[in-house]
Amino acid sequence: MTHAPTEVLLFTLNGQRYGLPAPDVCELVRAARLTPLPRAPAVVEGLLDLRGELLPVLDLRLRFRHPPRALSPMDHFIVASAGARSVVLRVDRAEGLRVLTPEEWDATPRQLPGVGYVAGAVKLKDGLVLVHDLRTFLSEAEALELDAALAAPQESEPA
């Protein structure tokens, strides 16, 4: 039985609010240019070099069926843990942490079809916010494809 997170990081994407359990969030960083990662699954936007560590940036717009949008300097990057893997999420805006009361948490959405990477929902006065479970965000095939792409020697750009 999964326990409700006691705190979530709220963020917006294409005008909709989402959340991540606070223990999964490592840090927030400013948007920066990404490096393409050949042979990565479609859900990977590219790589972010964060203090010498290359982290895959997951395309939430693609996963959540929002229209694509070019990277903006106003975007925020959320560095988070997806199980043993560190990942980066590009979001329009990180809103901040929200401490949850037991009445605000609803685990029911986890039981619905098509929401495999949802840990539950937060019932706020201004609407429902889906809280995502990054451990299930990548399918097994996507995770293997990403591992192979990260292990492959990176081709240098033509001069």
Side-chain angles (χ1 to χ4, degrees):
M1 175 155 177
T2 306
H3 296 311
T6 55
E7 197 172 30
V8 296
L9 174 69
L10 297 176
F11 62 90
T12 56
L13 186 68
N14 205 43
Q16 288 189 270
R17 289 166 82 195
Y18 298 94
L20 284 176
D24 292 347
V25 176
C26 301
E27 66 179 301
L28 297 175
V29 295
R30 290 179 184 235
R33 201 169 92 151
L34 301 178
T35 302
L37 179 61
R39 298 184 290 279
V43 74
V44 175
E45 243 185 295
L47 290 176
L48 175 67
D49 182 347
L50 184 64
R51 296 182 294 278
E53 186 179 4
L54 296 178
L55 301 176
V57 178
L58 303 181
D59 188 349
L60 296 182
R61 291 178 179 282
L62 176 66
R63 180 64 88 212
F64 300 158
R65 297 191 171 112
H66 291 302
R69 182 174 64 72
L71 181 66
S72 161
M74 301 303 289
D75 290 344
H76 293 166
F77 284 166
I78 301 171
V79 181
S81 300
R85 181 190 310 273
S86 290
V87 297
V88 177
L89 309 174
R90 176 170 64 108
V91 302
D92 296 347
R93 189 169 73 90
E95 292 185 8
L97 292 171
R98 167 82 183 233
V99 177
L100 302 180
T101 65
E103 300 78 42
E104 290 176 315
W105 180 253
D106 184 355
T108 307
R110 289 181 32 243
Q111 319 306 324
L112 301 174
V115 290
Y117 37 83
V118 172
V122 179
K123 297 179 276 187
L124 301 176
K125 288 184 178 124
D126 57 349
L128 198 65
V129 175
L130 294 180
V131 176
H132 293 278
D133 180 357
L134 290 178
R135 286 163 199 76
T136 59
F137 189 85
L138 292 175
S139 70
E140 189 174 340
E142 287 170 333
L144 290 171
E145 194 177 346
L146 176 57
D147 288 341
L150 288 169
Q154 297 304 306
E155 296 144 9
S156 58
E157 302 262 334

